[in-house]
Amino acid sequence: MKTVMLTIEKKVTLTIDGKKVTVPEGTTVLEAAKTAGIHIPTLCYLEDINKVGACRICTVEVNNRLQAACILPAEEGMVVKTNTSRVRQLRKHILALILANHDSNCPTCIRNNNCELQTLANELNLREEIFEREYARHVDDMSPSVVRDDSKCINCGRCVSICNEVQTVGVLGFVHRSDRTKVAPVYDKSLAELSCINCGQCIVNCPVGALREKDNTDLVWEALADKSKYVIVQTAPAVRAALGEEFGLPIGTGVTGKMVAALRRLGFDKVFDTNFAADVTIMEEGTELLGRIQSGGVLPLITSCSPGWIKFCEHKYPELIPNLSSCKSPQNMMGALLKSHYAKMNGLDPKDIFVVSVMPCTAKKFEVQREELEVDGIRDVDVSITTRELAQMIKEARIDFLRLEDEHFDEYYGESTGAAVIFGATGGVMEAAIRTVADILTGQEIEEVNYEFVRGMEGVKEARIKINEDITLNVAVVHGGANITALLDKVKNGETDYHFIEVMACPGGCVNGGGQPIVPDKIKMEINVPVERAKALYRADSAVKRRKSHQNPMVKKLYEDFLGEPNSELAHKLLHTTYVNRQ
Amino acid sequence: MSKELELLTDQVCAGYGYDPVNLLPILQEIQQRSEGNYISEEAARIIARKLNITESRVYDVVTYFSALSAVPRGDVIVQICNSTTCSICDNRELVTWFEDELGVKVGETTPDNKFTLIYTHCIGACDIAPAVRINHDVYGGLTREKVRELVASYRAKEAVK
Amino acid sequence: MKQVHEVHFITELFGKYDGSSLQSYLEAGGFKPLQQLLAGGSEKILKEIDESGLQGRGGAAYPTGRKLRQFLSEKAPRKFVVCNADEGEPGTFKDRELLRRNIYQVIEGMIITAVCTQAGEGIIYVREEYTNIHDHIEQAIESCYQHNYLGKNILGSGFSFELRLFSGAGSYVCGEGFAMCESMEGKSGRPRTKPPYVKQAGFLNLPTLVINTETLSAIVSIIRHGAHEFRKYGTAESPGTKLISVSGKVERPGVYEIPFGLTINEIVNGLAGGMKNGKKGNFVQIGGASGGILPARLWDTKYTYEDFSRAGMSVGSGAIVVADTETKLLDYLKVVQDFFNHESCGKCTPCREGNRQLRIIFDKIAAGTATAEDFYRMEIVLDVMGSTSLCGSGKTEVVPFNTAIKYFPEEFAVFAEFEKRAVI
Ligand SMILES: Cc1cc2nc3c(=O)[nH]c(=O)nc-3n(C[C@H](O)[C@H](O)[C@H](O)COP(=O)(O)O)c2cc1C
Ligand code: SF4
Ligand code: SF4
Ligand code: SF4
Ligand code: SF4
């Protein structure tokens, strides 16, 4: 007999500003207030990630005592007042204390108009600087990806939790104590000198302008103005799913057409789609996988398109380097092809071609500088900018983004399939690979293309895919440093039997990359941002006819005309790379 | 250098079962046995690896606690109490005696890297204020003459080492 | 003034035995209370502690009996009793004497507490500044193990208790329960938020009882002599005796055990031999750096929880720092502020940034450039810090400043003076 356990969720009822609210036990006063339509202000709080009760801006009166709402569990019969004059006064004064340790020069700050501190000062009606300012002046801009400005840091600790607990990299931490307390990289080094994986997750979770990407827009403007340069831009799949946010469109709005139009307006000679190279990646990586399976090569094969993950692996799991796919990321495959095949096709000198990539990612800035990725001394990609930097350029060029008519990518390298566009979400590379590999293994055109089990935001997704009677593919999809660490420890110890693992450094995959538009925590509490952005990609996938990489006619042509076949000698020279043990 | 450090670190960590819960005693012991009486960046990196914790946690702990240091110091730490009782009992004279005797100002290390002179907060010796702590030992009721003898005796001990 | 004497209830065995010998502790009557417990059961002991009215001596003055019963009701496979010997409040050195001169009684107190609350593991958390007595403590623990007062199946009772010493690494805030747990777990001493409480999820997230060295010692003496003996001392609301650390400008600084209810005058001019060199008294600070400032004119205030509470302060750590008129109040407060600015863990805004602002203000006072506006700023800082700080450190740091403003308003008139001068 089976006994069925009935768990009844206990509820508690409390009074918030005179209103009775019933919530499940364990709910915080902050969350309970939200259900009553009250936004208690927060700064250090980051849902599920940083619940430390440190900034104290969420102070409320509970049974006539002052308490921090973000960490206080709601209790039966509690009487909470969030809007008394005492509470308002204290919040203002706490905010004033924070501002005194902050270089408030909003107009020139990267986060002007998208800053949680600025917004709060405004909303809480703080109109004077009560205290004397005193703050550190130290900017670390040596990293190719992340710039840290101490003068703006409010010691909220969000980046510390992100870097240590979510990403398990651990190069940022609190140091010292008292008024010398600060958040700093290990031994006050530059992030460039440490095992920072350049993921930029710290940036997108910082409430203020203390963290930002290294701004490379000047290099792009320069190239665009240079008549001797043939400037090509490529855009990653996740960019189109988020760029619109920078112009006020709802989260999850796809803006491919407007984005292409804007890029043409900016003056790029050609506007291509990194998706093309994503399709090529599937051809190369799929072939590599089949080769390893059939010839008893090193398994599991692990994807290599997330440069944050690559650096993570090089620092923390050098013993797994042989498992990494030798494929370059789509960004770099694209660059290498543009400077070889495309150059030849159009009679251009590769040295005159300037490739700009627009990426949802800050780690790509590091990736483009890697020596291992050069072909005959020529860099694949010249500059990599983030979604945010592109938005910035569009704004600077005074282009009215919302009024742009949709346009299409340029021919050949603008061609792609549905398999490529989902690369931007966790599970996407895996799904794209399965679509192609299954066809090759069975020699059939399998109709079902939606592999739902690799989609979604679960930290580790596993599946055994029965391709036919003889072949079962064991795969796993993992994203975010902590999940990666948990899974790879098992892989390292030989506790798994996977053939293929997709790894992305950022939680949620590229849609939630460190180069994407920054969403204030207040909104993140309401909307699951990566989920909404991923939806835009899956919509784009199901809207097209060709949904498998090997069906891309231009990719076929590329192999026929130029590369020969996947993993050919030329393909290896251009599209594959090596890695470095950084331990 | 690196090999020695690796060895020392491993020895100490092994003594504590490689359990990061023991980070404080591990750091205190490694510091005491390290040249420069501090936890170097290299040591921090090795410790983090051995205990499977992040380097930032090690650096946080080293900078947080007064008894740990992330920068090199003298082998002998002279700490003059600067808290309530000792300030009432006028520790300024004591400071000048030590400064004169060691030839450095508070906050500095002697050129031979033997002595570091610093202020400290209450060391629980208020009954003999103004008090000074030299490494593990606490002294009060000092005179200029006694300070001279004290420093000389620590110098002699250091010379033997 | 009537003749005042110290009493020897908790310190009864001071000097009565060779502090480093278990044998001589036994000869002096040591471990009889433990035998009593093992023979008579813990309920009797808990009742005795309830009846004694003993309040925690670590500063918060929470009734010890109630605290032990609450901890008893926490059920978990591992539970910890931690002796708080961090003694970080400036001007306090009474736990040092308990550790040095009567360590076996502290250990006995831990065993009794552990048996009564069904905790199997214990830690004596000693401040790093006391490294010179660490060996002494470890030897005592060692001989207790050798004679089966510690370890498995203590004296055949079926109860096991493992005890060890943990050395702090130099941090005042680690005297706070959660900060202490963090540091014992190998992390920086930044307090966690409550709830849950230390007693529910402390060290390694397991139930942990953090209890002061003196409280533990008092428990043993109370069992030895009975609650009624303890209650013969003190007042109705502050029963018993208290160890105080007297220092500063007095003839005989030191640790004294007093019955609650003596006046500050009796302590300073009686027990401690009067003001040093016959100078005039100015103020005392009661209970450590986070304690209140009491002017000489109020030195007939009685040393009790209730009288201090009325005066806007508390017994705190039991420290009494005595200043004569050569010490300027604002100079002294700068030293106090300096202490906190050095020790604040820096986690929460009110305390971290509040201390930064206080430092700026006190620097300006010292430089003679403070204005009335700085006084206004100081009052805001004290208000925010005292009411919204995360832990007791920031919350109580404001006491010396608030009491100083209350009792010495004229000293703060200088702010206005400075401003006038600035105008000229
Ligand atoms: C910042 C801070 C420092 C403290 N330092 C000490 C200390 O050094 N010794 C101590 O016994 N209690 C200290 N306490 C109080 C402890 O948190 C705790 O209340 C006490 O040890 C409980 O023991 P009791 O019940 O015997 O008083 C401190 C509290 C705070 C907030
Ligand atoms: S971080 Fe925010 S408040 Fe600070 S300067 Fe930038 S925009 Fe202004
Ligand atoms: S970029 Fe990523 S790894 Fe680097 S500091 Fe930020 S969160 Fe940590
Ligand atoms: S850098 Fe940003 S996220 Fe990190 S502590 Fe400072 S303000 Fe917070
Ligand atoms: S009140 Fe002070 S010591 Fe306590 S948590 Fe806040 S900053 Fe740290």
Side-chain angles (χ1 to χ4, degrees), chain A residues 165-472:
Chain A
E165 269 112 68
V166 177
Q167 295 299 65
T168 55
V169 173
V171 289
L172 285 177
F174 278 105
V175 292
H176 294 295
R177 64 189 193 206
S178 74
D179 68 351
R180 293 171 69 210
T181 307
K182 61 174 183 177
V183 169
V186 179
Y187 275 75
D188 286 277
K189 289 272 153 114
S190 163
L191 286 174
E193 302 166 283
L194 297 165
S195 57
C196 167
I197 63 169
N198 305 307
C199 67
Q201 283 303 311
C202 50
I203 300 176
V204 287
N205 286 291
C206 178
V208 294
L211 288 160
R212 59 179 193 263
E213 72 273 30
K214 176 69 139 280
D215 183 348
N216 293 130
T217 55
D218 51 342
L219 297 177
V220 181
W221 289 124
E222 223 170 84
L224 286 169
D226 187 342
K227 292 278 171 290
S228 70
K229 289 257 177 342
Y230 189 80
V231 189
I232 305 176
V233 68
Q234 53 161 321
T235 64
V239 176
R240 68 206 65 182
L243 181 65
E245 293 165 29
E246 291 278 355
F247 301 94
L249 292 173
I251 293 170
T253 311
V255 292
T256 316
K258 287 192 186 348
M259 174 183 74
V260 172
L263 289 166
R264 285 220 178 84
R265 295 281 192 296
L266 288 174
F268 288 100
D269 294 303
K270 286 288 170 202
V271 180
F272 288 144
D273 195 350
T274 311
N275 287 8
F276 174 86
D279 280 332
V280 177
T281 303
I282 290 301
M283 301 306 293
E284 293 294 323
E285 204 162 81
T287 308
E288 188 182 9
L289 174 64
L290 290 170
R292 288 202 193 194
I293 291 174
Q294 283 154 3
S295 70
V298 180
L299 288 174
L301 177 70
I302 307 180
T303 58
S304 58
C305 38
S306 162
W309 147 240
I310 292 300
K311 194 149 184 276
F312 189 87
C313 180
E314 290 173 328
H315 283 290
K316 273 183 82 170
Y317 294 98
E319 59 275 47
L320 292 180
I321 288 178
N323 295 71
L324 286 177
S325 161
S326 62
C327 289
K328 289 181 181 176
S329 69
Q331 159 184 261
N332 279 68
M333 285 202 183
M334 189 76 163
L337 288 168
L338 291 173
K339 291 188 179 182
S340 54
H341 170 252
Y342 183 83
K344 205 166 126 195
M345 195 166 67
N346 294 283
L348 294 163
D349 182 344
K351 289 200 180 63
D352 294 335
I353 298 182
F354 192 92
V355 177
V356 175
S357 67
V358 185
M359 296 284 136
C361 176
T362 44
K364 299 274 181 200
K365 288 175 182 285
F366 171 80
E367 184 182 37
V368 299
Q369 297 186 359
R370 289 178 71 118
E371 277 175 20
E372 304 82 36
L373 291 168
E374 288 174 7
V375 179
D376 299 332
I378 296 178
R379 280 205 174 152
D380 296 341
V381 176
D382 296 278
V383 180
S384 181
I385 61 170
T386 60
T387 310
R388 293 190 295 271
E389 284 167 278
L390 172 59
Q392 188 66 61
M393 288 183 75
I394 296 170
K395 287 174 190 166
E396 197 176 346
R398 317 304 296 160
I399 295 168
D400 188 347
F401 185 79
L402 297 178
R403 291 218 190 146
L404 290 172
E405 294 285 341
D406 285 0
E407 291 180 18
H408 290 287
F409 284 110
D410 286 307
E411 269 172 23
Y412 207 129
Y413 282 81
E415 188 72 42
S416 69
T417 67
V421 77
I422 58 173
F423 260 57
T426 163
V429 179
M430 180 59 70
E431 185 165 347
I434 300 170
R435 289 180 190 174
T436 289
V437 169
D439 277 13
I440 296 175
L441 282 172
T442 57
Q444 292 169 348
E445 288 272 325
I446 297 172
E447 242 176 70
E448 180 52 53
V449 290
N450 293 324
Y451 296 89
E452 295 284 348
F453 47 80
V454 293
R455 298 184 185 177
M457 292 301 148
E458 212 176 304
V460 181
K461 292 165 277 187
E462 296 175 282
R464 291 176 176 270
I465 305 158
K466 200 160 179 216
I467 306 279
N468 58 28
E469 284 313 312
D470 305 323
I471 310 161
T472 300

Side-chain angles (χ1 to χ4, degrees), chain C residues 99-166:
Chain C
L99 298 170
R100 226 192 225 164
R101 303 177 65 182
N102 203 0
I103 179 63
Y104 285 101
Q105 183 159 333
V106 177
I107 296 176
E108 183 174 3
M110 290 209 71
I111 303 170
I112 290 172
T113 304
V115 174
C116 288
T117 58
Q118 291 168 11
E121 289 165 78
I123 296 163
I124 305 183
Y125 190 104
V126 190
R127 67 189 310 221
E128 191 274 340
E129 289 78 357
Y130 290 168
T131 39
N132 53 356
I133 48 175
H134 286 186
D135 282 351
H136 168 71
I137 298 167
E138 285 187 319
Q139 273 161 21
I141 293 176
E142 182 53 36
S143 28
C144 287
Y145 266 106
Q146 274 167 15
H147 294 87
N148 195 217
Y149 286 97
L150 287 172
K152 301 252 165 331
N153 191 14
I154 293 172
L155 306 179
S157 64
F159 185 84
S160 302
F161 185 57
E162 305 293 337
L163 180 66
R164 64 188 167 95
L165 176 148
F166 187 94

Side-chain angles (χ1 to χ4, degrees), chain A residues 148 152-160 172 174 183 202 205-208 210-211:
Chain A
R148 260 202 100 247
K152 306 257 187 235
C153 176
I154 59 169
N155 289 310
C156 72
R158 287 187 188 182
C159 61
V160 176
L172 285 177
F174 278 105
V183 169
C202 50
N205 286 291
C206 178
V208 294
L211 288 160

